[in-house]
């Protein structure tokens, strides 16, 4: 049973979030804070109490745009603690997702909050709290990868992905129609998609060979053109990439 703290400076939004949290059977208790400073004081009491103490908090549902100390500031402060609570951002702004995931957020929920979308964030938090063994319900679809856009889960075909960019423990999938941030490290995708023609060209980039339009050599540097983008190839990966492109049908 999760012990939750909701933080929002707008009283109606805070009350609605608390209502939805308390309605979820995986949430044992949920309390609110009207700003980040109040939340920080409450979290300090939780940390002093310890994970099994009566003041403990498992997860913080945190708004971003607040006066004074905002949600991102509070999340940065929490990264300095040895065992901070998990953080789920709940915000009306889409523009801060990358910063949120860099701060190891569990999820990023957009307002207006839908019950089903919040339930997914709660599920993710509960799974991270519960470290016991789990039996997978189904095998993942190898031809598609789930992404979230505006609170809706969609499935992107792996064949449509031109390249992947590392962003901390997350990865940004690029297609001709746009990009999507997923909570999967680049190294995991490299291993998973090697047999599908994806190759590492840089510590930050994984590229689909079939989408490479040009290989450019300029004054000892190597780059590839993928769609409208030119990506640098590191020295350690240049020879392997040239060999693969030469053998490509």
């Amino acid at each position: 049973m999760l012990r939750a703290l909701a933080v929002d400076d707008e009283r109606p939004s805070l009350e609605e979030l608390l209502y939805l949290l308390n309605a979820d059977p995986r949430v044992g208790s949920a309390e609110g804070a009207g700003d980040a400073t109040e939340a920080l004081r409450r979290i300090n009491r939780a940390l002093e109490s310890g994970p099994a103490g009566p003041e403990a908090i498992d997860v913080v549902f945190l708004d971003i745009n607040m006066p004074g100390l905002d949600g991102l500031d509070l999340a940065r402060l929490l990264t300095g603690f040895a065992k901070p609570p998990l953080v789920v951002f709940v915000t009306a702004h889409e523009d801060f997702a990358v910063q949120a995931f860099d701060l190891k957020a569990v999820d990023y929920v957009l307002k207006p909050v839908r019950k089903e979308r919040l339930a997914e964030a709660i599920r993710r938090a509960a799974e991270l709290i519960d470290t016991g063994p789990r039996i997978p319900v189904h095998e993942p679809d190898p031809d598609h990868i789930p992404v979230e856009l505006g609170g809706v889960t969609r499935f992107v075909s792996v064949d449509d992905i031109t390249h992947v960019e590392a962003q901390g423990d997350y990865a940004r999938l690029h297609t001709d129609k746009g990009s999507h941030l997923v909570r999967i490290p680049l190294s995991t995708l490299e291993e998973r998609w090697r047999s599908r023609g994806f190759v590492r060209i840089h510590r930050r980039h994984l590229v689909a060979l079939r989408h490479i339009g040009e290989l450019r050599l300029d004054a000892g540097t190597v780059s590839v053109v993928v769609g409208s983008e030119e990506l640098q190839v590191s020295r350690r990966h240049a020879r392997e990439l040239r060999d693969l492109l030469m053998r490509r049908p």
Side-chain angles (χ1 to χ4, degrees), residues 142-184:
D143 296 323
H144 296 81
I145 183 168
V147 302
E148 291 195 20
L149 184 63
V152 177
T153 301
R154 299 180 180 178
F155 293 87
V156 173
S157 171
V158 175
D159 290 339
D160 291 338
I161 297 170
T162 59
H163 62 289
V164 186
E165 180 183 1
Q167 293 186 344
D169 291 334
Y170 296 77
R172 183 167 293 279
L173 312 177
H174 291 267
T175 72
D176 291 337
K177 297 181 180 179
S179 67
H180 309 277
L181 195 67
V182 294
R183 195 158 51 99
I184 306 174

Side-chain angles (χ1 to χ4, degrees), residues 177-227:
K177 297 181 180 179
S179 67
H180 309 277
L181 195 67
V182 294
R183 195 158 51 99
I184 306 174
L186 190 67
S187 57
T188 299
L189 294 178
E190 178 184 14
E191 179 67 26
R192 183 184 299 177
W193 292 345
R194 182 177 292 117
S195 62
R196 301 183 69 98
F198 283 81
V199 59
R200 191 73 162 258
I201 65 167
H202 190 275
R203 63 182 178 84
R204 291 193 58 204
H205 288 112
L206 186 68
V207 172
L209 288 173
R210 61 184 169 276
H211 288 291
I212 295 178
E214 296 180 20
L215 178 68
R216 295 179 177 177
L217 306 176
D218 183 18
T221 63
V222 181
S223 62
V224 293
V225 176
V226 181

Side-chain angles (χ1 to χ4, degrees), residues 1-218:
M1 299 291 287
L2 290 176
R3 296 158 293 186
L5 174 66
V7 188
D8 199 314
D9 64 308
E10 297 180 356
R11 176 57 59 177
S13 295
L14 180 60
E15 291 178 351
E16 179 185 10
L17 181 55
L18 287 171
Y19 172 80
L20 292 173
L21 289 171
N22 282 309
D24 193 292
R26 290 162 296 193
V27 177
S29 63
E31 56 186 290
D35 57 52
T37 302
E38 179 187 350
L40 186 58
R41 288 195 294 265
R42 179 62 185 86
I43 292 167
N44 276 321
R45 295 205 308 271
L47 294 175
E48 291 172 359
S49 174
E55 300 278 353
I57 293 172
D58 297 311
V59 56
V60 180
F61 292 83
L62 183 57
D63 188 22
I64 288 181
N65 190 16
M66 294 184 288
L69 194 70
D70 67 22
L72 292 173
D73 293 331
L74 177 57
R76 291 188 188 98
L77 289 173
L78 293 181
T79 61
F81 292 100
K83 294 183 178 180
L86 301 174
V87 172
V88 173
F89 284 101
V90 183
T91 177
H93 303 279
E94 300 182 4
D95 302 337
F96 301 105
V98 173
Q99 295 100 306
F101 290 132
D102 284 344
L103 292 168
K104 314 300 182 186
V106 172
D107 209 339
Y108 193 90
V109 180
L110 291 176
K111 296 179 181 179
V113 179
R114 294 186 297 108
K115 179 181 178 181
E116 297 79 8
R117 182 63 185 85
L118 184 64
E120 172 63 15
I122 293 171
R123 181 192 66 78
R124 291 179 178 179
E127 285 188 350
L128 290 173
I129 295 297
D130 174 21
T131 57
R134 303 183 189 92
I135 300 174
V137 177
H138 58 81
E139 292 295 323
D141 179 358
D143 296 323
H144 296 81
I145 183 168
V147 302
E148 291 195 20
L149 184 63
V152 177
T153 301
R154 299 180 180 178
F155 293 87
V156 173
S157 171
V158 175
D159 290 339
D160 291 338
I161 297 170
T162 59
H163 62 289
V164 186
E165 180 183 1
Q167 293 186 344
D169 291 334
Y170 296 77
R172 183 167 293 279
L173 312 177
H174 291 267
T175 72
D176 291 337
K177 297 181 180 179
S179 67
H180 309 277
L181 195 67
V182 294
R183 195 158 51 99
I184 306 174
L186 190 67
S187 57
T188 299
L189 294 178
E190 178 184 14
E191 179 67 26
R192 183 184 299 177
W193 292 345
R194 182 177 292 117
S195 62
R196 301 183 69 98
F198 283 81
V199 59
R200 191 73 162 258
I201 65 167
H202 190 275
R203 63 182 178 84
R204 291 193 58 204
H205 288 112
L206 186 68
V207 172
L209 288 173
R210 61 184 169 276
H211 288 291
I212 295 178
E214 296 180 20
L215 178 68
R216 295 179 177 177
L217 306 176
D218 183 18

